[in-house]
Amino acid sequence: MSRPLLVVDAANVVGSVPDGWWRDRAGAASKLRNALVEVGERGLSGFAEGPLEVVLVVEGEARHVQSIPGVRVVSATSSGDDAVVDVVRSEAPNRTTAVVTADRELRRRVTELGASVLGPRSVR
């Protein structure tokens, strides 16, 4: 049986806290990626117990952030939202899946594909 899938919209989660992320978008995405390792190991309250498969979708200036053990990074070639939807569409069928974002339109798109949605605070 597959591990539950957690897909994180990096730009939306990073942008949810005004901590100066705009000065170093790649650094902020890397910091989030590193913190997600523990989330993947222990699981996420309100979603699933660990271990989880964690996918972090990055875009723009954070496109060059690399995967590390425990967190796979997907670099969007254009729209980050479209990349999140593509991950859900291709990897979520018949699998417990959640997307972390506050973006209303993205929330609608992924719930239509069967994913649940969690807010940015769930991983901050």
Side-chain angles (χ1 to χ4, degrees):
M1 185 167 168
S2 297
R3 292 180 292 161
L5 176 64
L6 183 69
V7 183
V8 180
D9 176 359
N12 190 269
V13 173
V14 165
S16 70
V17 178
D19 61 0
W21 59 265
W22 51 89
R23 290 188 294 270
D24 182 7
R25 294 169 196 258
S30 294
K31 183 178 174 183
L32 174 60
R33 177 205 56 199
N34 297 346
L36 289 172
V37 172
E38 184 179 339
V39 172
E41 291 170 352
R42 67 176 161 74
L44 197 56
S45 179
F47 172 54
E49 294 181 5
L52 309 175
E53 180 179 352
V54 179
V55 176
L56 179 66
V57 177
V58 296
E59 62 184 290
E61 293 177 25
R63 272 193 325 265
H64 302 294
V65 171
Q66 298 294 310
S67 297
I68 59 173
V71 179
R72 180 165 48 103
V73 177
V74 171
S75 297
T77 54
S78 58
S79 161
D81 290 0
D82 289 348
V84 169
V85 170
D86 289 346
V87 169
V88 172
R89 184 178 289 120
S90 66
E91 300 187 32
N94 304 312
R95 183 176 189 188
T96 302
T97 302
V99 173
V100 180
T101 187
D103 181 296
R104 287 184 185 174
E105 176 61 15
L106 180 56
R107 292 168 74 96
R108 182 193 64 76
R109 292 173 69 191
V110 298
T111 56
E112 287 177 354
L113 296 171
S116 59
V117 179
L118 301 166
R121 287 185 181 176
S122 66
V123 296
R124 295 289 313 211

